[in-house]
Amino acid sequence: MREALAGLTVRGRAFVAAGVTAIVCAVVLGQPALNRVGVLVLALPLLTAAVLSRSRYKLALVRTVAPQVVGAGQPARVSLTLTNEGRAPSGLLLLEDQVPYVLGSRPRFVLEGISHGWKRQVAYQVRSDVRGRFELGPMSVRVADPFGLVELGRAFQTTAALTVTPRTVVLPSIPLGGGWTGAGDNRPRAFATGSAEDVTVREYRRGDDLRRVHWRSSARTGELMVRREEQPWQSRATLFIDNRAGVHRGQGVASSIEAAVSAAASIAVHLCRRGFAVRLVTAAGEDHGSAWHQRDADVGEGPLLEALAVLRPIATPRLDGSWLGEQGHGGLTVAVLGAVGAVDVPVLRRMRNHAGAGLAVAVDVDAWAAAGGRATAGPGDRSGAPGASVPVLVQQGWRATALGPRDRLESVWQELGSAAGQGSAVRGPDTVPHVAAHEATASQAAAQEVVG
């Protein structure tokens, strides 16, 4: 009852004040008829509050988000299904769903005609230009009587997640260099030789050549096992992104780290569609939730984009190179970097030596700082010249180019391909982009490729 009295609306409080005033005036003026009117006006909100306080509403809510993973700038639809499983009817339901500010304003709905077995579905859209994982809900409900005198608040506890992945652009096909398979465009192919752990075996079938019997597997399983003639090796690529806070400039969606994340997402999609198994490595090491996604598992670039959606700057001063000690993880390495300091050179050198081919996109963080981004303190000695990271990377054997605030990622990616024959691509303060000089060569190389 106390909760119901606290839920009196402005109209309900006005009725109480009017009833009390009428009773006082009736006593002062000696008007019994006015006294009866005052009692009626006062009793109406009090009786309504008593009825609502004793009512047991059983409202069920089912929230559905479709799709649960969207790209930045794309809408998602949220459907709410409400059911009244109690026996008490209600005059009005005032609904308000809690959503983060970046997804838009809080949706509000007014539903009426609620009775036992009542069911209603409402929907609204959300959209975000900012990547991340957001929680939708919980839903707050205010139950009102038919006269609008009392409102009681209720809240559901369930929420639903929406993941907004970074913006991506379609990248042109370029020669990616050699990898595990040894092919020029790093495509999967079959092999018939390899170490014991590389062998794929199956049960012996009548007519199989006994020379194909794999005795080690046969002894382990207790059944006769034979080697397969061929086992496809899938090309692998490592996507590295430097997400240290000290190597980037700016804040919010206009910061250099957001440009780096968007570039990494576009490259991840491009490599997966080219048939690569891609793993994501950050400054803190390998992301195990997105490691070596197999093409046959039909997961594509989804886990990679979801991992990039929640990637946040970290305060570590040095790059984690522990993953470079793994054996057999060569292939293609694509690095998206911020400012490169002297402390980073040994790790970048190891990273390049660990890979069959190395491509690097160095975000020109000094250009972001010159454009108005607030600089943050970084570890080590950072060079201040525009594009100064690119010559350092080229010295370590990378094919590298710079990405500025006004540059298109498609053109930067094409520039890396145009320098495939040279082994490096430099676009810094003392050099000129090589796109025009090698335009015919890059176009011819791209035309000869078959997209996987």
Side-chain angles (χ1 to χ4, degrees):
M1 184 63 182
R2 183 176 299 177
E3 181 186 2
L5 291 176
L8 286 172
T9 62
V10 175
R11 181 184 300 178
R13 296 176 187 275
F15 267 66
V16 171
V20 172
T21 302
I23 294 174
V24 171
C25 291
V27 172
V28 173
L29 300 176
Q31 298 289 334
L34 183 59
N35 187 45
R36 291 192 291 270
V37 173
V39 171
L40 177 62
V41 173
L42 177 61
L44 184 60
L46 297 180
L47 290 175
T48 302
V51 172
L52 283 181
S53 65
R54 293 180 178 272
S55 299
R56 295 294 181 263
Y57 296 99
K58 295 183 179 179
L59 300 176
L61 170 66
V62 177
R63 181 188 284 103
T64 305
V65 182
Q68 293 183 336
V69 180
V70 297
Q74 298 178 354
R77 180 182 177 86
V78 183
S79 299
L80 305 173
T81 303
L82 283 144
T83 307
N84 183 19
E85 299 178 352
R87 297 186 178 277
S90 174
L92 291 174
L93 279 185
L94 309 177
L95 310 178
E96 183 181 66
D97 207 8
Q98 308 293 323
V99 298
Y101 175 77
V102 296
L103 297 180
S105 59
R106 294 179 178 179
R108 295 180 175 89
F109 307 95
V110 179
L111 304 179
E112 58 183 354
I114 302 165
S115 59
H116 175 64
W118 171 90
K119 184 177 182 179
R120 186 70 60 85
Q121 186 176 39
V122 295
Y124 63 92
Q125 282 191 344
V126 292
R127 188 180 69 89
S128 174
D129 293 326
V130 181
R131 63 180 177 89
R133 182 175 287 120
F134 307 101
E135 291 293 329
L136 304 177
M139 167 77 73
S140 61
V141 181
R142 297 193 66 83
V143 182
D145 69 285
F147 302 103
L149 301 176
V150 181
E151 288 184 1
L152 296 181
R154 296 288 187 269
F156 293 95
Q157 301 299 322
T158 58
T159 61
L162 174 66
T163 302
V164 181
T165 59
R167 294 183 182 272
T168 60
V169 297
V170 179
L171 300 180
S173 296
I174 63 172
L176 296 176
W180 273 25
T181 61
D185 56 356
N186 210 354
R187 296 194 177 282
R189 67 181 177 92
F191 71 97
T193 61
S195 61
E197 52 270 13
D198 294 330
V199 176
T200 298
V201 296
R202 61 171 173 81
E203 296 180 355
Y204 173 83
R205 299 171 185 170
R206 186 175 181 178
D208 285 337
D209 190 350
L210 293 179
R211 291 176 297 181
R212 292 170 50 197
V213 173
H214 192 257
W215 298 108
R216 181 177 299 179
S217 299
S218 300
R220 184 174 62 253
T221 61
E223 298 180 2
L224 202 59
M225 309 294 289
V226 297
R227 293 186 180 91
R228 293 183 184 271
E229 289 292 343
E230 295 179 340
Q231 176 187 351
W233 268 24
Q234 186 178 12
S235 297
R236 294 181 173 183
T238 298
L239 177 60
F240 176 83
I241 178 171
D242 190 353
N243 61 323
R244 293 174 297 168
V247 301
H248 289 281
R249 305 291 185 269
Q251 293 181 342
V253 295
S255 62
S256 62
I257 192 170
E258 291 300 320
V261 171
S262 180
S266 301
I267 295 171
V269 173
H270 178 74
L271 293 178
C272 288
R273 294 178 180 177
R274 289 279 297 268
F276 283 85
V278 185
R279 66 169 173 175
L280 178 65
V281 180
T282 67
E286 182 177 357
D287 180 71
H288 298 286
S290 60
W292 294 130
H293 297 303
Q294 297 298 323
R295 179 180 55 184
D296 295 338
D298 196 26
V299 295
E301 64 273 7
L304 291 168
L305 294 180
E306 291 183 34
L308 289 170
V310 296
L311 187 70
R312 292 291 179 261
I314 58 178
T316 180
R318 295 177 178 270
L319 297 174
D320 183 4
S322 59
W323 59 277
L324 294 171
E326 302 174 1
Q327 298 296 325
H329 287 178
L332 175 67
T333 296
V334 182
V336 181
L337 306 169
V340 177
V343 70
D344 306 324
V345 172
V347 179
L348 293 174
R349 184 186 303 114
R350 288 179 56 202
M351 195 183 305
R352 175 61 187 91
N353 295 334
H354 186 262
L359 282 71
V361 176
V363 179
D364 192 354
V365 297
D366 298 293
W368 259 269
R374 187 173 63 182
T376 57
D381 181 20
R382 308 288 175 192
S383 182
S389 299
V390 175
V392 177
L393 293 169
V394 173
Q395 291 176 1
Q396 308 307 318
W398 293 84
R399 285 163 50 191
T401 188
L403 175 65
R406 301 180 182 274
D407 294 334
R408 295 175 59 88
L409 182 59
E410 306 96 306
S411 302
V412 172
W413 187 253
Q414 185 70 54
E415 184 176 341
L416 285 176
S418 67
Q422 297 182 355
S424 62
V426 181
R427 184 156 62 94
D430 301 324
T431 57
V432 179
H434 300 289
V435 175
H438 298 278
E439 184 176 4
T441 303
S443 301
Q444 183 178 1
Q448 292 175 352
E449 290 190 342
V450 179
V451 179

